[in-house]
Amino acid sequence: MIMSPTPTAQPYDATRTMRAMAIVEGALQPIQLPRPVAKPGEIIIKTAYIGVNRADLLQIAGQYAPPEGASPLPGLEIAGIVAQNDADNLLFTPGMPVCALLSGGGYAEYVAVPAAHVLPLPAGITLQQAASLPEAAATAYMALALEANLQPGERVLVHGGASGLGILMTQIARAWGAEVFATVGTAEKAAQLARLGIHAINHRTAPFAAQLMAATGDAGVDVIIDTLGGPQVETHLRLLRHGGRLVTLAALEGTAVAPFKMTRLLMNHLRWSGATLRSRTGLEKAAIMAGVQARIWPHLATGAILPVVDSVFPLAQAQKALERMQERLHMGKILLEVAPET
């Protein structure tokens, strides 16, 4: 059965349709849906580009349900042009280029978004580049600023450094004055990060922990952004310096944690926290997006942070884009393009 937006989740204009990609039996299928209608406090954006995220893969596989009231279509970030705004909204006018953080529904020609989750484009950034930013920038701000309280001069390790999230987060941490290490799986990805001033660790040549300790003179790091999960918890705690912070965002290697002694956690005053972005409230996301605009947008405008786009697929080929992500072939963000109808 085709999953379509529920009437209670979002008003739709039945007289006008749009192209979208719906989840059908664990795969994506192109369909026509009614266009969304803005509720108070929302704006309608005509989508130009859509950021592809690992969360999309999980949702399509039935492992990551959207929050209550959100569109069941995948897609957590887009860039496009304002098509309609709330009558009381003077910040975003029709025709204005913007990017937005979504709770779902991005794989579509039009989206309805709370205005507080929308940002104007940083100076000099194109719509295509902007589509790579909202989810990654918001996640990075949540992890580095809110959870880890990263400070200038500290050392940070980021796993998956060549992913869409990782390649932006490492640059953000560096722009904030940290010394940044990141794991990758190929020499090509390591070289790309090195060009951005990041210390790349190829985990396929030797265990990442041994390489990190050698690179830091056995001192370790202050912050670890973890996407590996349970099997690496003890290793991560051993890599943290006094007062270090471990922030877990995902568990790609599993959720089970083997028994370990808590002595180092206690004696070194370490902290371990977990965080997700999609499950946060609308007000929390609004505060995060305000932080992104204040602390990340200026670095994009100056070129200190560079959006990295790996590849662009037509919306109708979204399944191919997801296959590229599944195979971990990408370096930077994979995007979908919503081309004008012919």
Side-chain angles (χ1 to χ4, degrees):
M1 178 180 294
I2 294 177
M3 297 176 63
S4 58
T6 59
T8 56
Q10 172 67 52
Y12 283 80
D13 182 354
T15 66
R16 307 179 73 186
T17 62
M18 66 177 182
R19 292 167 289 161
M21 298 296 289
I23 302 171
V24 183
E25 297 179 354
L28 290 174
Q29 177 174 308
I31 62 170
Q32 291 283 327
L33 287 176
R35 292 186 189 179
V37 176
K39 294 186 291 188
E42 290 185 336
I43 64 173
I44 302 296
I45 301 172
K46 189 178 191 309
T47 307
Y49 295 93
I50 304 153
V52 176
N53 291 279
R54 190 159 293 275
D56 303 343
L57 280 171
L58 296 175
Q59 181 175 337
I60 293 166
Q63 300 172 8
Y64 193 18
E68 184 177 355
S71 167
L73 300 178
L76 301 178
E77 59 187 340
I78 60 99
I81 302 297
V82 174
Q84 175 190 344
N85 67 329
D86 184 288
D88 296 327
N89 191 317
L90 302 178
L91 295 176
F92 302 108
T93 56
M96 182 178 180
V98 294
C99 60
L101 177 70
L102 313 176
S103 295
Y107 284 30
E109 193 175 8
Y110 290 86
V111 296
V113 195
H117 302 170
V118 179
L119 292 179
L121 271 55
I125 298 298
T126 66
L127 277 173
Q128 185 182 102
Q129 292 172 318
S132 72
L133 298 175
E135 175 75 11
T139 300
Y141 180 82
M142 174 188 71
L144 295 174
L146 301 184
E147 297 292 333
N149 191 27
L150 182 67
Q151 299 297 309
E154 290 190 319
R155 288 174 172 158
V156 58
L157 169 67
V158 177
H159 283 293
S163 68
L165 170 60
I167 209 162
L168 188 69
M169 185 182 293
T170 53
Q171 292 185 79
I172 291 169
R174 188 170 184 269
W176 290 356
E179 183 179 8
V180 186
F181 300 82
T183 60
V184 294
T186 69
E188 184 182 7
K189 291 179 179 180
Q192 183 181 35
L193 287 188
R195 289 192 290 270
L196 295 172
I198 311 301
H199 302 295
I201 296 173
N202 187 342
H203 63 83
R204 297 191 187 279
T205 62
F208 74 86
Q211 293 187 67
L212 179 66
M213 293 303 279
T216 61
D218 289 328
V221 295
D222 303 282
V223 171
I224 297 175
I225 306 301
D226 167 37
T227 54
L228 303 181
Q232 300 295 344
V233 169
E234 184 177 12
T235 297
H236 285 148
L237 294 179
R238 286 192 284 105
L239 295 175
L240 287 173
R241 298 201 280 198
H242 188 275
R245 289 85 74 199
L246 170 63
V247 181
T248 297
L249 301 179
L252 297 180
E253 293 187 357
T255 57
V257 180
F260 66 93
K261 294 182 178 180
M262 296 179 63
T263 306
R264 183 173 179 83
L265 179 72
L266 301 174
M267 298 303 294
N268 279 21
H269 300 271
L270 306 179
R271 284 184 286 148
W272 178 23
S273 64
T276 64
L277 181 62
R278 194 178 193 185
S279 63
R280 289 183 180 259
T281 68
L283 287 176
E284 288 174 324
K285 290 178 182 178
I288 288 171
M289 292 302 279
V292 166
Q293 186 173 17
R295 295 197 59 191
I296 297 175
W297 257 217
H299 294 293
L300 284 154
T302 63
I305 298 174
L306 301 174
V308 179
V309 174
D310 170 84
S311 50
V312 182
F313 293 79
L315 177 61
Q317 295 181 19
Q319 196 71 43
K320 290 185 178 180
L322 290 164
E323 289 169 4
R324 181 170 178 82
M325 172 167 283
Q326 183 73 62
E327 295 169 5
R328 301 189 180 186
L329 299 173
H330 58 298
M331 291 188 289
K333 201 76 173 186
I334 301 172
L335 302 179
L336 303 176
E337 182 178 11
V338 185
E341 288 188 291
T342 57

